[in-house]
Amino acid sequence: MNVTRNPDAQWLLRAAAQTGIPARALRAYVAAATTANAADPACGIGWNTVAAVGFVESAHGTYGGGSLNSAGEASGPIVGPSLNGSGFAAIADTDAGELDGDSRWDHAVGPMQFIPSTWELVGRDGNGDGTADPFNIDDAALSAASYLCAHGRDLSTAQGWTDAIYSYNQSDPYLRQVRAEATAYAAKTGIS
């Protein structure tokens, strides 16, 4: 089946059940990959890669027991730990605390966990409401897919895919976890 920006409702429900991805998040991941590939046909990003990043970053917007509403908003703010150099990189505040509530240190925010300075550069409006919001799954997923496709990466190759994931998080355990999730999602649904 060719999954488009607005996937067939039956496929969406079946794939959500097969993968455990909330249908609202899955719809955003499919739309993000489709839109990113339309903008950059050489990218070759699969929805399953976007979904795997979403799982690792925030359990598809459900981190801490939350959920996504029909508009793609998380039921509570998703804000990562302080990037104060204690167990994480030290990244001084870049947005006067506007997105993360901390005017001293940055925190990754939203279901795809963007630091404010990165969001400023790559934030996209995925739901067409005129605003790029890192807390909205449609906007965050499209921004993540576009970020992964940046610099002419071809995610249909092993090296291109690896380079893309490392651009998101330079960690071997992170790469292995995203790869395992992406592979599992593709196997469970029979498509990538």
Side-chain angles (χ1 to χ4, degrees), residues 66-145:
S67 63
L68 297 172
N69 67 20
S70 62
E73 301 293 333
S75 58
I78 302 170
V79 178
S82 175
L83 300 176
N84 61 10
S86 181
F88 301 96
I91 302 175
D93 177 65
T94 60
D95 71 334
E98 183 179 330
L99 292 177
D100 56 22
D102 185 342
S103 59
R104 181 161 182 205
W105 300 104
D106 266 347
H107 300 247
V109 298
M112 301 303 277
Q113 290 289 279
F114 281 98
I115 60 172
S117 60
T118 302
W119 183 258
E120 181 67 29
L121 296 172
V122 304
R124 304 283 184 270
D125 176 14
N127 62 3
D129 69 356
T131 302
D133 178 0
F135 295 99
N136 177 279
I137 190 68
D138 298 309
D139 297 354
L142 177 57
S143 300

Side-chain angles (χ1 to χ4, degrees), residues 12-95:
L12 189 66
L13 292 175
R14 186 173 57 253
Q18 291 167 329
T19 60
I21 301 170
R24 184 61 186 84
L26 182 57
R27 187 174 84 196
Y29 300 145
V30 171
T34 301
T35 301
N37 284 323
D40 182 3
C43 176
I45 192 168
W47 67 264
N48 57 316
T49 293
V50 183
V53 171
F55 172 77
V56 174
E57 294 294 346
S58 73
H60 310 299
T62 66
Y63 180 78
S67 63
L68 297 172
N69 67 20
S70 62
E73 301 293 333
S75 58
I78 302 170
V79 178
S82 175
L83 300 176
N84 61 10
S86 181
F88 301 96
I91 302 175
D93 177 65
T94 60
D95 71 334

